[in-house]
Amino acid sequence: MLSAKPAAVSALVIFPALTAATSYSLVKEYSGSTFFNDWSFYGNYDNLTNGDAIFVTRDVAASSNLAYVNSAGNAIIKVDNTTTVDYNYKRNTVRVASTDEYAVGSVWVADMLHVPYGCSVWPAWWSQASAWPSGGEIDTFEGVNMVTMNQVALHTSHGCTITGAVQTSTLVNSTDCSYDDNANEGCVVTVTSTNSYGAGFAAAGGGVYVTEFSEVGINVWFFTRSEVPPALSTNLSVDTSALGTPTVNYPPTDCDINTYFAAQHLIFDITLCGGTLTALLSHLDFAGSSSVYAETCGTGTCYTDNVIGNGSNYASAYFEIQYVKVFSNSSTSTSSGSGNSNRGDRGAAVGAGLGALLGLGIAALALALSV
Ligand SMILES: *[C@@H]1O[C@H](CO)[C@@H](O)[C@H](O)[C@H]1NC(C)=O
Ligand SMILES: *[C@@H]1O[C@H](CO)[C@@H](O)[C@H](O)[C@H]1NC(C)=O
Ligand SMILES: *[C@@H]1O[C@H](CO)[C@@H](O)[C@H](O)[C@H]1NC(C)=O
Ligand SMILES: *[C@@H]1O[C@H](CO)[C@@H](O)[C@H](O)[C@H]1NC(C)=O
Ligand SMILES: *[C@@H]1O[C@H](CO)[C@@H](O)[C@H](O)[C@H]1NC(C)=O
Ligand SMILES: *[C@@H]1O[C@H](CO)[C@@H](O)[C@H](O)[C@H]1NC(C)=O
């Protein structure tokens, strides 16, 4: 995973490239009736984050109205809230990954009116390289249960840390991005405005998340609806220097972008509970962990109090997306990937982390038994 190192040296040598262009041209728009054309649906139960969810196929998503374009022309990605699920069964939901992947030198913009929330609900708008942890992961939007603030994170192979980050309205939770440190917590930054997530996001009319994936750093901007800048309404290009100070900035100082990151598939997913086993093993905080669940949903059990039953508690568990646009600083920076949604995703990320942890656990157990 750490074999592709020589690039680090050359990239560091050309460090003056910090003045790289900030103007990007539109290369892909996902919107309106064709929104779902170029995404692959996972089509398997959540074997990635241990969620109590089935990520349905494209056909099931369409026939059961879990992924569709509404009468306003916006894309809906949601949890099934009309089927009664019995004990021991999982609930249907959606995970889509872009068939295209976008290289260093890209910007993606998601304009949303609503994001999923609710007890047991764990949504994310994120990206990941096919060979994760090599090639890295960028989590632009993520949260669990009834939290009110968005969390941004990077997950990389070993050696990427964040120092000297410039952030506005944020709290830095952790600075080591490596998947094999801190049980793959990643370098997490919390966006402290309560209109960045949940009911607060929708009440403000939604907003726009911008992710800049550049060799001079990874930046995320969050704009609540009333503050979306004019620089985002020129449809054919975006100049990130006109967006103001990023909400979250990951500088390349101790994390050379070309070393730790490669072309990314864009992903929307919503899982339910999840991460419990990982949490037990690693103290990681996920939706299903009882301590995390208790923080915003009170005393109860994530699965039995939410997933099973008639699903009426999932009426807020949906994304409503006006568009996703991808911009590039070069006409060759987008490539048609393999629709590689079954690998190299956050799920694989956590799954792999879990596998590693389980491996460790099993090794430790074997050791204990052999002593
Ligand atoms: C999840 O299931 C799919 C389909 O069976 C399989 O291709 C993939 O390897 C599995 N992933 C993990 C991490 O187990
Ligand atoms: C585009 O971005 C890539 C990666 O950040 C960079 O190497 C390249 O120099 C940029 N091209 C221009 C024209 O700025
Ligand atoms: C990050 O820090 C904030 C503020 O202390 C806290 O509310 C949040 O739970 C933390 N997130 C993680 C992942 O530790
Ligand atoms: C951008 O696209 C939207 C939707 O198609 C359109 O309403 C708007 O006029 C366009 N703006 C510009 C500056 O072209
Ligand atoms: C769904 O289940 C909840 C909780 O058991 C209950 O309060 C509600 O009335 C049910 N709704 C319908 C339409 O059956
Ligand atoms: C299901 O959720 C949708 C919003 O996605 C809501 O309009 C609808 O009323 C919900 N249905 C039930 C039965 O709760």
Side-chain angles (χ1 to χ4, degrees):
M1 285 156 190
L2 298 172
S3 54
K5 273 303 196 254
V9 178
S10 56
L12 285 172
V13 170
I14 56 159
F15 216 57
L18 278 168
T19 54
T22 55
S23 183
Y24 301 80
S25 303
L26 185 70
V27 291
K28 181 75 179 180
E29 176 167 357
Y30 304 87
S31 66
S33 60
T34 60
F35 182 95
F36 288 105
N37 283 8
D38 297 314
W39 303 84
S40 56
F41 287 69
Y42 192 68
N44 197 77
Y45 73 92
D46 178 4
N47 60 354
L48 306 170
T49 42
N50 200 31
D52 296 309
I54 297 168
F55 297 130
V56 298
T57 61
R58 177 183 290 273
D59 286 348
V60 172
S63 64
S64 49
N65 283 329
L66 300 184
Y68 62 97
V69 176
N70 69 11
S71 57
N74 301 325
I76 302 290
I77 294 172
K78 71 193 292 284
V79 175
D80 179 353
N81 68 324
T82 59
T83 301
T84 294
V85 170
D86 292 331
Y87 183 75
N88 258 341
Y89 290 84
K90 297 171 188 280
R91 181 169 290 281
N92 284 353
T93 174
V94 175
R95 181 185 187 286
V96 290
S98 66
T99 52
D100 285 345
E101 55 185 9
Y102 300 101
V104 181
S106 302
V107 168
W108 42 93
V109 180
D111 183 317
M112 301 186 280
L113 294 175
H114 192 279
V115 290
Y117 63 92
C119 291
S120 78
V121 179
W122 176 10
W125 159 235
W126 58 295
S127 72
Q128 198 167 48
S130 299
W132 190 96
S134 178
E137 166 182 343
I138 305 169
D139 301 336
T140 298
F141 167 86
E142 183 167 18
V144 292
N145 301 319
M146 294 300 285
V147 299
T148 57
M149 298 180 277
N150 178 43
Q151 281 190 184
V152 181
L154 305 180
H155 297 265
T156 65
S157 52
H158 191 79
C160 164
T161 60
I162 298 306
T163 51
V166 178
Q167 267 105 22
T168 57
S169 310
T170 55
L171 286 165
V172 179
N173 290 84
S174 49
T175 56
D176 185 346
C177 309
S178 170
Y179 83 103
D180 62 355
D181 291 330
N182 304 327
N184 192 25
E185 182 181 346
C187 39
V188 179
V189 180
T190 300
V191 178
T192 53
S193 58
T194 55
N195 51 24
S196 67
Y197 193 88
F201 179 91
V208 179
Y209 277 99
V210 180
T211 310
E212 181 177 31
F213 179 37
S214 155
E215 68 183 8
V216 300
I218 293 172
N219 294 315
V220 170
W221 286 262
F222 168 65
F223 300 106
T224 191
R225 184 63 56 199
S226 61
E227 292 167 9
V228 176
L232 289 176
S233 52
T234 58
N235 295 329
L236 297 178
S237 67
V238 65
D239 181 351
T240 52
S241 69
L243 299 180
T245 306
T247 313
V248 179
N249 163 245
Y250 293 102
T253 321
D254 292 316
C255 183
D256 180 66
I257 303 300
N258 287 319
T259 300
Y260 290 100
F261 288 88
Q264 303 274 305
H265 289 279
L266 311 182
I267 304 170
F268 283 101
D269 78 75
I270 315 171
T271 193
L272 304 175
C273 303
T276 310
L277 185 52
T278 317
L280 280 173
L281 289 166
S282 67
H283 310 291
L284 257 191
D285 290 342
F286 286 123
S289 144
S290 55
S291 61
V292 172
Y293 186 80
E295 279 174 21
T296 55
C297 290
T299 56
T301 308
C302 191
Y303 174 72
T304 47
D305 288 350
N306 298 283
V307 180
I308 59 176
N310 65 24
S312 64
N313 49 325
Y314 288 111
S316 298
Y318 67 95
F319 286 101
E320 181 171 4
I321 306 155
Q322 302 211 93
Y323 66 76
V324 170
K325 291 181 191 174
V326 185
F327 301 85
S328 167
N329 75 349
S330 109
S331 55
T332 56
S333 131
T334 179
S335 63
S336 223
S338 55
N340 204 345
S341 69
N342 291 347
R343 299 186 53 225
D345 45 52
R346 177 180 60 151
V350 176
L354 177 59
L357 287 162
L358 282 170
L360 270 178
I362 289 164
L365 183 63
L367 189 63
L369 290 173
S370 72
V371 170

